[in-house]
Amino acid sequence: MRRLAFVLLLQIAAACGQADDSSSSDLNSVVLDSSRSRWTQPRSIPVCITNRSALADELFNDIKNYVTSEYAAKTGVGFTGWGDCSDAQMKSSTVRVTFNLKHNWSSSSAVVAGGGLSMVGMSSRTCGADCVGGTMRLDIGSKGAYPASGSRYRDFTVSRTRATAIHEFGHALGLMHEHERTDAVGCDKSDGSVVSGSNYVYIGDYDSTSIMNYCHSGSITTLSKGDIAGVYYLYPALAAGH
């Protein structure tokens, strides 16, 4: 399992140090767990929701559309379905998403957004007790909805929730944390725990702009070229046809 560690405060946008990335290669840095199972049909990866009734349509449709369009347009990956989880899906290799109604998005002080957890690669296992049977957990506001239009917190919460979703779906494909590479220069969250070798594969140099990296400014919400290269490494047929 991999946990998304950047939980950001609206009033404290703490940024980690970033590496000076001067590489001209498009295959620029992502960490992959090559020992995990890969999806056999990456153009049609099943997704279901464990608690759809708790979500406002606007928030659910925004996350669904943002994730599906970002991955389809840039990698050819297809995340399909997005209905309520059936009994069969609760036992099968399906991306089962639980939206965790956690954050107070109506606070008059600092507002927290983001946070999540996911199994890495194709899996039928739950990601823990607080995933409520899901293989993925996305932390959202306690009311299951974005703040209303005009709220000072709306843009921030939408941006961070989208970024969290792209990050966690990256784990679901098999991408690992970029900042845990041994060569994560200038990143104070690096612990060097993801060592290149039999279990992990480094693609290019360390990528300070990866959506899988905790050490960026917090403004990144999309896949980097390195992230895309990582997906293509895991699923080479997508690169040939995209």
Side-chain angles (χ1 to χ4, degrees):
M1 291 184 293
R2 281 293 185 253
R3 183 181 300 273
L4 177 57
F6 65 84
V7 178
L8 304 178
L9 297 179
L10 179 64
Q11 298 172 335
I12 307 175
C16 298
Q18 297 189 30
D20 179 14
D21 181 6
S22 58
S23 171
S24 61
S25 172
D26 284 349
L27 304 182
N28 189 27
S29 67
V30 70
V31 180
L32 308 169
D33 181 353
S34 60
S35 68
R36 298 283 184 174
S37 296
R38 301 179 188 182
W39 296 91
T40 56
Q41 296 182 321
R43 290 187 175 88
S44 184
I45 297 174
V47 178
C48 68
I49 312 301
T50 67
N51 61 337
R52 173 64 180 88
S53 62
L55 310 175
D57 288 345
E58 182 201 28
L59 183 147
F60 169 72
N61 288 326
D62 179 70
I63 294 303
K64 172 187 173 182
N65 294 337
Y66 194 79
V67 168
T68 55
S69 62
E70 176 71 5
Y71 277 98
K74 294 184 177 178
T75 69
V77 167
F79 289 111
T80 62
W82 294 82
D84 292 330
C85 292
S86 66
D87 290 342
Q89 286 176 317
M90 292 299 291
K91 301 174 184 178
S92 66
S93 294
T94 300
V95 181
R96 302 189 301 271
V97 184
T98 296
F99 286 83
N100 183 27
L101 280 59
K102 177 179 181 179
H103 301 310
N104 179 4
W105 285 349
S106 59
S107 172
S108 60
S109 57
V111 168
V112 177
L117 192 66
S118 179
M119 299 300 295
V120 178
M122 185 175 69
S123 178
S124 61
R125 296 172 53 198
T126 180
C127 57
D130 56 354
C131 295
V132 196
T135 63
M136 179 186 299
R137 192 195 79 223
L138 299 176
D139 296 342
I140 61 171
S142 59
K143 296 181 180 179
Y146 288 136
S149 297
S151 167
R152 60 184 293 205
Y153 308 122
R154 182 176 172 87
D155 289 349
F156 171 76
T157 56
V158 170
S159 172
R160 291 300 87 214
T161 304
R162 288 176 173 178
T164 298
I166 297 297
H167 178 106
E168 298 303 344
F169 274 87
H171 282 319
L173 286 172
L175 303 184
M176 301 297 291
H177 283 151
E178 186 71 14
H179 62 277
E180 291 177 351
R181 291 173 58 135
T182 56
D183 60 349
V185 178
C187 176
D188 63 8
K189 296 185 184 299
S190 175
D191 60 8
S193 62
V194 177
V195 180
S196 180
S198 59
N199 291 328
Y200 306 107
V201 177
Y202 287 9
I203 307 298
D205 300 324
Y206 168 67
D207 184 3
S208 63
T209 65
S210 170
I211 194 68
M212 308 307 294
N213 191 346
Y214 290 179
C215 284
H216 54 62
S217 66
S219 62
I220 294 173
T221 60
T222 59
L223 297 168
S224 70
K225 290 181 178 180
D227 297 329
I228 296 167
V231 173
Y232 286 165
Y233 175 89
L234 288 169
Y235 306 99
L238 293 177
H242 190 68

